[in-house]
């Protein structure tokens, strides 16, 4: 990975992280100062938003750490699995939170249930992203196993020479 690519990715990750912190602060402020008017269940939606931002932040930190490992050349190690697992877990949590938002929104969509179906489809798409990352985790596991095997073979070859 080139230095420019890493810097650009880190700028984007940092900007998104700052944005999520801003949204969380806004939701906490709204929880404390803005009462519900009864049209929507605002308190649960605000809490879900705060938790959703936390899941996004966990993903951002995991990706940041993995990019750091790539730059150092240590990504093909067992330590990388901790961050990949955290990213997968955060994406699954985000999908579950999205399904909760869909359930909260569904009663208001009785005249147009297509919105609820679309929102459910988006939740399935989020779960699909988690499955893609899980497949990438399996590829990482294969790469780590091959790296360990290559290291062992090099050691054996060094003993012979």
């Amino acid at each position: 990975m080139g230095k420019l690519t890493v810097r650009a990715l880190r700028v984007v990750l940092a900007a998104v992280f700052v944005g999520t912190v801003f949204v969380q602060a806004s939701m906490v402020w709204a929880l404390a100062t803005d009462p519900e008017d009864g049209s929507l269940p605002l308190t649960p939606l605000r809490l879900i938003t705060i938790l959703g931002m936390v899941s996004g932040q966990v993903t951002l930190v995991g990706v940041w750490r993995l990019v750091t490992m790539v730059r150092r050349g240590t990504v093909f190690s067992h330590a990388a699995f901790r961050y990949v697992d955290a990213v997968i877990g955060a994406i699954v949590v985000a999908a579950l939170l999205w399904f909760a938002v869909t359930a909260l929104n569904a009663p208001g969509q009785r005249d147009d249930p297509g919105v609820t179906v679309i929102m459910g489809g988006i939740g399935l798409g989020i779960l699909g992203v988690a499955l893609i990352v899980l497949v990438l985790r399996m590829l990482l596991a294969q790469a780590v196993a091959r790296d360990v095997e290559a290291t062992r073979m090099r050691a054996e070859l060094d003993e012979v020479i």
Side-chain angles (χ1 to χ4, degrees), residues 28-159:
V28 169
W29 178 259
L31 277 171
T33 62
D34 189 20
E36 292 195 30
D37 63 2
S39 62
L40 280 173
L42 292 178
T43 299
L45 289 173
R46 289 171 179 160
L47 291 172
I48 289 170
T49 301
I50 292 168
L51 294 174
M53 295 296 108
V54 170
S55 72
Q57 290 165 344
V58 168
T59 301
L60 293 170
V61 170
V63 170
W64 185 287
R65 295 295 300 150
L66 288 167
V67 168
T68 300
M69 292 180 83
V70 167
R71 284 295 292 152
R72 292 181 183 158
T74 60
V75 75
F76 295 117
S77 66
H78 293 286
F81 292 111
R82 163 182 25 177
Y83 303 113
V84 175
D85 291 341
V87 168
I88 292 170
I91 295 171
V92 169
V93 166
L96 295 175
L97 291 169
W98 183 258
F99 286 130
V101 167
T102 302
L104 286 171
N105 187 50
Q109 299 299 326
R110 290 189 183 154
D111 293 336
D112 189 10
V115 172
T116 303
V117 172
I118 290 169
M119 289 179 71
I122 291 170
L124 288 175
I126 296 169
L127 283 176
V129 171
L131 288 172
I132 291 169
V133 177
L134 180 62
V135 168
L136 293 173
R137 184 194 187 283
M138 292 178 202
L139 292 173
L140 178 63
Q142 288 179 352
V144 168
R146 295 258 166 95
D147 191 49
V148 168
E149 182 181 349
T151 301
R152 182 187 55 80
M153 292 176 80
R154 272 191 224 117
E156 287 178 7
L157 187 60
D158 286 344
E159 287 178 12

